[in-house]
Amino acid sequence: MSTSQAATPEWQMTPRARRTFVGLIVGALVVILTASAWMTYDSQVREDPGVRACGAFARRAPFSLSESEYRDLQSMFARSSRVSLREHGLRALKAGVVSPGPSLVAVLHPGDGEGAALRAACVAEGALPG
């Protein structure tokens, strides 16, 4: 036995083990900080597409949609992670179709039937003021 090994306590790490341990700790911290940043962004910054689509129902007057506007709004409600907005949104859009065909036109009445149910769902989700 050499004197350097005898003088080193059993619990002390070798330089290689110490570098590996420090690397693991730094890697774990990077993963934790990245995950917390993503969760903060996801819950605070990024808004659900269904909530953004509810903005169309902020006014109570009927409004018409062209085919591209209809498809965009339909896509936003379909991608929503909130079940009530997804169901009521798609139902209200389907009920609002006036002229199906090549030049699809939909007229949405936020105060009637399906439109009122969607507006209520938007209010319940906090997307619109009561």
Side-chain angles (χ1 to χ4, degrees):
M1 273 195 174
S2 71
T3 58
S4 64
Q5 286 181 343
T8 306
E10 196 175 294
W11 55 268
Q12 192 172 9
M13 290 190 259
T14 64
R16 182 177 178 189
R18 189 177 300 120
R19 280 192 304 272
T20 303
F21 182 70
V22 169
L24 286 173
I25 296 297
V26 169
L29 285 174
V30 167
V31 168
I32 289 170
L33 290 175
T34 303
S36 65
W38 173 254
M39 288 173 56
T40 301
Y41 167 78
D42 194 41
S43 65
Q44 301 295 325
V45 177
R46 190 177 71 155
E47 193 173 37
D48 185 73
V51 171
R52 284 196 320 264
C54 280
F57 288 83
R59 56 181 183 221
R60 294 181 187 265
F63 58 97
S64 61
L65 300 170
S66 67
E67 182 176 6
S68 64
E69 292 170 333
Y70 176 85
R71 300 278 181 231
D72 290 342
L73 205 55
Q74 183 182 34
S75 171
M76 290 173 81
F77 280 122
R79 289 179 302 160
S80 179
S81 62
R82 299 177 184 188
V83 177
S84 63
L85 292 182
R86 186 172 51 242
E87 290 175 357
H88 290 296
L90 294 175
R91 236 182 274 143
L93 287 174
K94 195 179 291 185
V97 174
V98 173
S99 160
S103 61
L104 174 75
V105 176
V107 178
L108 300 177
H109 301 276
D112 296 341
E114 296 295 335
L118 175 57
R119 184 169 172 71
C122 289
V123 170
E125 292 290 340
L128 293 176

